[in-house]
Amino acid sequence: MRSTPVPANYKWIALSNTTLGVLIATMDASIVIISLPAIFRGIGLDPLAPGNIGYLLWMILGYLLVSAVLVVVLGRLGDMFGRVKIYNLGFLIFAAASIALSLDPLTGGGGALWLILWRIVQAFGGSMLTANSAAILTDAFPSRQRGMALGINQITALAGQFLGLLAGGLLAVIDWRAVFWVSVPISVTGTIWSYLSLRETASGRRGRIDWWGNITFAGGAGVLLAGITYGIQPYGGDATGWGNPMVLAGLFGGVFLLALFCFIETRVEEPMFQLALFKVRAFAAGNIAALLTAIARGGLQFMLIIWLQGIWLPLHGYDFEDTPLWAGIFMLPLTCGFLIAGPVSGYLSDRFGARLFSTTGLLLVAASFFGLLLLPVDFDYTLFALLLLLNGLGQGMFSSPNTSSIMGSVPPEYRGVASGMRSTFQNSGTALSIGVFFSLMVSGLAAKLPTTLSSGLQGQGVPAGTAHQVASLPPVSTLFATFLGNNPIQHLLAPTGVLDRVSTAQRHALTGHRFFPQLVSGPFHHGLAIVFSVAAGMALVSAVASVLRGRHQRDDGQSTSKKDEKGKPAWRKARSS
């Protein structure tokens, strides 16, 4: 790849374009979560009916799985063939997929498959954007401004995950297709702009594609994350599916393929995944911290949605059907924290180093989790909003300096693959969080929910047999019902016909705003305490990793690695010799 002359203001052009790219890519990763009820109503499909739960899971997780698996490959291709070239192609693919999604001509299962498959194509384009955006900025900006630029880019990406929740809620009220329409003008404009304005500013060399490395990594990561995803579904008489032979096969098979991948990467001349980069302490510590923080952040996102939609908003008079939109609105302090702290900490870390800000930010994140643990289920919103703001500020303080530290710690010729590796850890953490925290929550609910639900239903005139039958249903069904903005009791009892046989007063009580939230608040808080305790622990471990990154020095635009006497990076010496 050949570098070309660029205008004096090019770095700002690169920042604005790549920030738009990662914003739309991350927004579309989460925009369907809040709008799923409208989407499934639009295509005429009940996602909670037997046999349809797979559509629901893949609608949420298909995009995340593709993003987690492909970013390293696409970052490596950027190093080989040009970061801007791969980035521009990603914008084009993303725009085409956005148009196809907005034109879904099918209904029922066919309509769901159309959306899932084109979401996967869209994720492929989005992965091209996120895999190369940080490398493009690292090439374009001098080291004294790099933290600020990467901070804006990274925080925009994180904020996009939560802005997607708000946008999905607002647009779904208008029309379910509007959830996909919004991406079309933005992605088309971004595609034209990127092709006209972005230039290759880094020199590099073509190389050979590591086919076996690509195959084993994509297969291993995909199978492992899919196994974790299906682990949250009930199996037999268990509340979760961790005993399912297919899930176990996915977990062990994925680990085996990833181990084989690591072996291959130490033997090939031009590996896709530069394992030797982990000899750079700032790179290794930064990625470990990023992975654990992404898991904690993903758990926070989904638990807050369930907490707000299933309990707090109904208790405060909001209809279940309206809770998806209002959940996005009430979570805005978290996004505000990202947007405030990200650019500021990125700018300051350019002058004072990444370790102080990243570590302090993670300690604030852990403190916010402990604060959320102390809140009652029916909390005072002011205190809740302050804790969300604190969490957002902490994550903003961590993410910008951490990204700058990771990207500044590697030689320029490996910035594309380093950016992809960083994105892989972050995206994998988000996907892992769903399996980890949903399983923790389901396990917590399974311990107390059946007894509480059965006695509560019988207290409102539901026959004991029906109450026991409903209470024995997997807790994940109840979680998904609240997650989709459905009235949980109506969803659980409608198939039994009991609502037509109880008195009018009992029916109103059962399906009202307060019965279900008050009934499950105790079991839910038990599960929530487990989830937030684990998340706080992950944040503290991340803080330790951040401290261990060391004091990293970099010179402007040059490799930060020590060189041997032949001019090769020291971390390459062992393999080169």
Side-chain angles (χ1 to χ4, degrees):
M1 121 185 95
R2 188 186 314 167
S3 60
T4 57
V6 296
N9 65 338
Y10 175 75
K11 60 186 178 183
W12 304 113
I13 295 173
L15 176 61
S16 54
N17 188 280
T18 56
T19 298
L20 177 66
V22 298
L23 175 65
I24 192 64
T26 54
M27 278 187 64
D28 270 56
S30 61
I31 198 169
V32 301
I33 295 175
I34 291 293
S35 52
L36 279 173
I39 292 173
F40 280 112
R41 283 196 300 269
I43 62 176
L45 186 71
D46 178 7
L48 296 176
N52 289 346
I53 194 73
Y55 294 130
L56 173 64
L57 284 174
W58 281 105
M59 193 77 77
I60 298 173
L61 295 171
Y63 193 105
L64 294 175
L65 291 177
V66 171
S67 299
V69 168
L70 291 181
V71 284
V72 174
V73 179
L74 298 170
R76 172 63 176 154
L77 292 178
D79 286 337
M80 293 170 57
F81 300 108
R83 292 156 193 165
V84 169
K85 182 182 295 184
I86 300 298
Y87 177 89
N88 290 347
L89 180 61
F91 239 141
L92 181 62
I93 293 173
F94 192 94
S98 298
I99 294 171
L101 283 165
S102 67
L103 299 176
D104 186 353
L106 306 174
T107 58
L113 286 175
W114 175 284
L115 295 177
I116 291 168
L117 291 175
W118 279 107
R119 285 268 297 168
I120 289 174
V121 175
Q122 190 183 50
F124 182 74
S127 297
M128 289 181 165
L129 298 176
T130 56
N132 290 282
S133 61
I136 291 172
L137 290 178
T138 305
D139 292 337
F141 277 83
S143 62
R144 67 180 184 277
Q145 296 177 318
R146 193 173 293 149
M148 176 272 300
L150 289 170
I152 292 173
N153 187 263
Q154 177 70 6
I155 293 306
T156 301
L158 295 178
Q161 296 178 12
F162 290 93
L163 290 174
L165 300 176
L166 178 60
L170 291 171
L171 294 170
V173 174
I174 301 171
D175 190 285
W176 72 270
R177 293 183 187 273
V179 173
F180 303 111
W181 290 339
V182 69
S183 301
V184 175
I186 298 175
S187 56
V188 170
T189 301
T191 301
I192 296 171
W193 183 23
S194 66
Y195 272 101
L196 292 177
S197 64
L198 295 182
R199 301 287 183 271
E200 298 289 357
T201 60
S203 58
R205 61 183 177 84
R206 289 181 180 265
R208 289 176 295 183
I209 297 177
D210 174 18
W211 290 110
W212 284 111
N214 279 276
I215 291 170
T216 52
F217 178 78
V223 169
L224 178 64
L225 292 174
I228 291 172
T229 298
Y230 281 103
I232 69 176
Q233 296 190 56
Y235 175 73
D238 296 329
T240 58
W242 297 111
N244 187 337
M246 295 299 294
V247 170
L248 293 174
L251 297 179
F252 288 108
V255 170
F256 171 77
L257 287 174
L258 289 177
L260 181 61
F261 162 76
C262 292
F263 175 79
I264 291 171
E265 296 305 273
T266 61
R267 295 295 186 270
V268 298
E269 185 63 28
E270 297 184 39
M272 61 160 282
F273 208 105
Q274 292 288 346
L275 295 177
L277 286 176
F278 286 100
K279 295 179 181 179
V280 180
R281 186 164 56 163
F283 182 86
N287 276 302
I288 291 171
L291 172 66
L292 294 175
T293 304
I295 295 175
R297 180 173 57 250
L300 175 71
Q301 174 179 309
F302 284 97
M303 291 307 109
L304 289 182
I305 292 172
I306 294 171
W307 193 354
L308 288 170
Q309 290 185 198
I311 297 179
W312 194 84
L313 287 168
L315 282 177
H316 290 258
Y318 293 84
D319 291 335
F320 283 99
E321 293 76 11
D322 297 331
T323 56
L325 168 61
W326 286 102
I329 293 173
F330 279 109
M331 288 169 61
L332 277 177
L334 188 62
T335 305
C336 292
F338 290 151
L339 297 177
I340 292 169
V344 174
S345 64
Y347 172 78
L348 293 175
S349 69
D350 287 334
R351 299 185 59 189
F352 303 108
R355 183 165 60 174
L356 172 64
F357 295 96
S358 293
T359 306
T360 302
L362 289 170
L363 292 176
L364 293 179
V365 170
S368 69
F369 279 123
F370 285 122
L372 290 169
L373 268 173
L374 298 176
L375 286 183
V377 172
D378 188 10
F379 49 78
D380 174 72
Y381 180 73
T382 301
L383 184 56
F384 179 78
L386 289 174
L387 288 171
L388 291 192
L389 180 64
L390 180 65
N391 191 285
L393 290 171
Q395 292 197 50
M397 286 182 65
F398 162 75
S399 296
S400 301
N402 190 63
T403 300
S404 179
S405 174
I406 291 172
M407 295 303 300
S409 69
V410 301
E413 64 269 24
Y414 294 104
R415 283 173 181 163
V417 71
S419 177
M421 292 165 76
R422 178 192 62 82
S423 296
T424 291
F425 279 102
Q426 184 168 296
N427 294 340
S428 297
T430 303
L432 282 169
S433 70
I434 297 174
V436 171
F437 288 112
F438 260 89
S439 294
L440 289 172
M441 175 58 75
V442 168
S443 298
L445 288 176
K448 295 188 175 183
L449 182 60
T451 302
T452 305
L453 185 57
S454 178
S455 60
L457 291 174
Q458 292 181 61
Q460 290 296 329
V462 176
T466 303
H468 288 308
Q469 177 187 350
V470 169
S472 64
L473 292 174
V476 71
S477 298
T478 306
L479 284 182
F480 278 138
T482 60
F483 189 69
L484 291 173
N486 291 337
N487 186 315
I489 296 299
Q490 189 167 343
H491 166 75
L492 293 171
L493 290 180
T496 68
V498 167
L499 291 176
D500 296 326
R501 297 195 295 270
V502 297
S503 68
T504 302
Q506 289 173 327
R507 182 168 62 251
H508 287 164
L510 287 168
T511 59
H513 292 157
R514 305 192 67 83
F515 178 77
F516 177 79
Q518 290 177 338
L519 193 67
V520 302
S521 59
F524 177 82
H525 194 266
H526 175 70
L528 200 67
I530 298 173
V531 167
F532 284 158
S533 296
V534 172
M538 287 183 173
L540 291 175
V541 174
S542 299
V544 173
S546 181
V547 170
L548 295 177
R549 77 176 68 240
R551 293 176 58 84
H552 182 65
Q553 301 293 329
R554 58 174 181 251
D555 50 12
D556 195 8
Q558 303 298 319
S559 170
T560 60
S561 303
K562 295 180 179 179
K563 303 291 185 69
D564 64 13
E565 65 276 6
K566 296 181 180 180
K568 293 181 180 179
W571 57 265
R572 297 272 295 172
K573 184 176 180 180
R575 194 166 62 82
S576 298
S577 59

